[in-house]
Amino acid sequence: MTRIAIVDLVFNWPPGGGSMVDVREVAVRLREMGHDVRMVTPHFETYFPRGRISLDPGFPVDLIPFNRFSFNSENVRKQFRRKVDAFRPDIVFLTDGYSLKPHLSEALKEYPQVWRAYSYEVFCPLNNLVDKRLDYVCNKSIFKDQKWCESCCRHHFKYRRSWIKLISPIKFRIGYLFLFQEYWFSRANRPEFLETFERAIRRAKAILVYNDRQRAFFSQFQSNVIFAPTGVSPLFHPRENNAATRSRPVILVSGRIEDPVKGFMKVFFACKELYRKGIDFELWITAKPNAYIPSAPFIRNIGWLDADRLAEATARADIICIPSYWEEAFGIVAVEAMASAKPVVACRVGGLQKIVQHGKTGLLVEPNSSADLAEKLKFLIQNQEIATQMGHRGRERFLESYRWEVIMQTVYEPLFRTPSETQFS
């Protein structure tokens, strides 16, 4: 049995995103393998709630109370070190940490560490590799050009306004405010931060990544960089989609359509062109009540869905479209589609281009090209037999590589063996 402390700075349950689902699934399955697993996370209700546990996640969670001023690098180091020392783990598993992650690594340097880089957190302070000043995917990082990253942060955070919000007793919408606090209180704009960061990466015994860009970044400093895919809920599986009883095929776009980098307007213009050409279909979207939805006869808003209803909608659709033009760190929607035996049309970005096998399990399109997206959707709409075959091959790929049982056996079991067997001893 290995004693594993999972150190995470943003965990909530029920979850607020796919990253939390991933952490929870791994933690529960590590316990099922016989390990002693305990999470340490902040209880911090301001702006971006952390440690809000209203349902049992399936493992013990130690909450450390913070407020907007105590949540800084010095105090985070001190409080997490005290809590982790009380547990005395064999391994520390550092999951989500944003700009404070290197500081946590430094505070816990006496323990063997495994890092998980689910997104772009530390080397992009905005966590998305998108510079909205120029509306393009950024190819820089905090290591390549720290001054550029700081200017980008100044533009998005609006420092003076953010400081006023930070000290104000009035509650504000989150926006970038929580990332501003992480960035500023970790001193990520200072040269010494890069030194702390590099030491932390080199100190890790392994770093788990989700796409090739992450792998390339961390491989500059660390030899043991491991691709670690995310599994999906067993709710996603093939079902009868009643296509024969519908008058038109269904394209499903799930997720936050209000976020420009998710690319909804690209698929809207693509579908508008298809509709103009007389191609019959429905575009299903999962928009929240306050989201702006362009008016079009082919759009059907099926509402924001929980996991059960999203799995059902995925199974009922004919094509799953993922029009994101930012560097999606992984692309869990594509895995959900494959688990459900559905073909995927996705942009050639981030983890999506690793998951989707072009011409086999789906089609990849060039980012920001509505014309290319329209052509790929048109092809699958008009070639339903090929689309069905792609879905079946996607299901086979899911069973081979993306089931949780496979992921735990190939990735996590070798990392977290008993102390006498582990490669870290």
Side-chain angles (χ1 to χ4, degrees), residues 38-292:
R38 180 174 293 271
M39 175 178 283
V40 184
T41 195
H43 181 66
F44 181 24
E45 291 286 340
T46 305
Y47 304 128
F48 184 81
R50 306 134 187 269
R52 182 178 285 176
I53 312 294
S54 58
L55 292 177
D56 179 11
F59 51 87
V61 179
D62 286 339
L63 299 177
I64 306 176
F66 288 97
N67 59 42
R68 67 180 89 178
F69 301 110
S70 66
F71 197 69
N72 57 66
S73 58
E74 288 79 8
N75 199 39
V76 165
R77 285 191 192 204
K78 177 183 175 182
Q79 297 299 331
F80 273 81
R81 176 59 189 264
R82 179 180 60 83
K83 189 67 74 170
V84 171
D85 280 349
F87 182 48
R88 302 302 300 176
D90 299 304
I91 300 173
V92 168
F93 187 22
L94 277 169
T95 51
D96 292 330
Y98 297 111
S99 297
L100 288 168
K101 197 168 189 172
H103 294 288
L104 282 171
S105 175
E106 190 82 3
L108 303 172
K109 60 186 177 184
E110 293 182 9
Y111 299 99
Q113 296 177 14
V114 173
W115 274 41
R116 187 196 72 146
Y118 188 86
S119 192
Y120 301 106
E121 41 176 2
V122 182
F123 63 92
C124 172
L126 298 180
N127 197 32
N128 59 15
L129 294 176
V130 174
D131 190 328
K132 293 184 181 177
R133 295 173 298 180
L134 305 175
D135 193 29
Y136 80 114
V137 176
C138 182
N139 63 1
K140 298 181 184 291
S141 75
I142 200 167
F143 265 97
K144 279 187 178 179
D145 194 334
Q146 194 177 27
K147 291 297 183 183
W148 177 272
C149 290
E150 182 177 10
S151 69
C152 182
C153 289
R154 285 185 179 276
H155 174 80
H156 289 94
F157 295 155
K158 300 178 175 57
Y159 276 7
R160 183 177 179 183
R161 189 180 303 174
S162 291
W163 274 114
I164 292 171
K165 289 181 178 180
L166 190 66
I167 64 176
S168 171
I170 302 172
K171 280 195 171 184
F172 291 91
R173 293 183 64 184
I174 293 172
Y176 282 106
L177 192 57
F178 81 99
L179 284 175
F180 162 77
Q181 179 165 5
E182 309 270 338
Y183 177 78
W184 188 261
F185 279 2
S186 67
R187 300 187 298 277
N189 62 328
R190 305 288 294 275
E192 54 267 28
F193 176 81
L194 300 185
E195 298 172 8
T196 303
F197 187 14
E198 183 173 345
R199 284 197 307 271
I201 298 173
R202 295 186 185 280
R203 179 184 300 118
K205 306 303 180 182
I207 294 182
L208 307 182
V209 298
Y210 294 77
N211 63 49
D212 288 336
R213 182 161 182 175
Q214 293 171 330
R215 186 197 297 272
F217 173 81
F218 285 106
S219 293
Q220 300 173 84
F221 314 100
Q222 168 66 242
S223 60
N224 196 17
V225 180
I226 302 168
F227 177 65
T230 293
V232 298
S233 166
L235 293 170
F236 292 90
H237 59 83
R239 313 182 196 188
E240 175 61 51
N241 69 356
N242 299 320
T245 65
R246 290 200 305 261
S247 59
R248 55 183 64 89
V250 170
I251 303 166
L252 173 64
V253 176
S254 63
R256 305 187 307 274
I257 70 164
E258 69 276 9
D259 188 343
V261 301
K262 291 292 186 179
F264 170 71
M265 293 308 297
K266 305 298 178 185
V267 74
F268 171 73
F269 288 125
C271 288
K272 188 175 181 180
E273 179 64 15
L274 295 179
Y275 188 78
R276 186 186 68 80
K277 292 179 177 179
I279 297 173
D280 199 17
F281 66 92
E282 279 189 354
L283 175 64
W284 290 3
I285 60 174
T286 59
K288 293 181 178 180
N290 60 348
Y292 167 72

Side-chain angles (χ1 to χ4, degrees), residues 1-2 4 6 23-38 57-60 234 404-406 408-409 412-413 416:
M1 179 184 72
T2 305
I4 305 167
I6 299 178
V23 172
R24 188 260 180 183
E25 288 291 335
V26 171
V28 168
R29 291 168 190 275
L30 285 172
R31 290 194 84 199
E32 291 173 351
M33 291 163 57
H35 300 303
D36 186 2
V37 178
R38 180 174 293 271
F59 51 87
W404 271 118
E405 293 78 8
V406 174
M408 294 304 296
Q409 183 179 9
Y412 291 96
E413 186 176 353
F416 297 109

Side-chain angles (χ1 to χ4, degrees), residues 385-410:
E385 185 175 344
I386 293 176
T388 299
Q389 291 171 356
M390 286 182 174
H392 290 327
R393 286 195 290 266
R395 175 67 182 178
E396 291 171 1
R397 178 164 163 76
F398 165 76
L399 293 174
E400 291 170 1
S401 304
Y402 292 97
R403 286 185 301 123
W404 271 118
E405 293 78 8
V406 174
I407 295 167
M408 294 304 296
Q409 183 179 9
T410 58

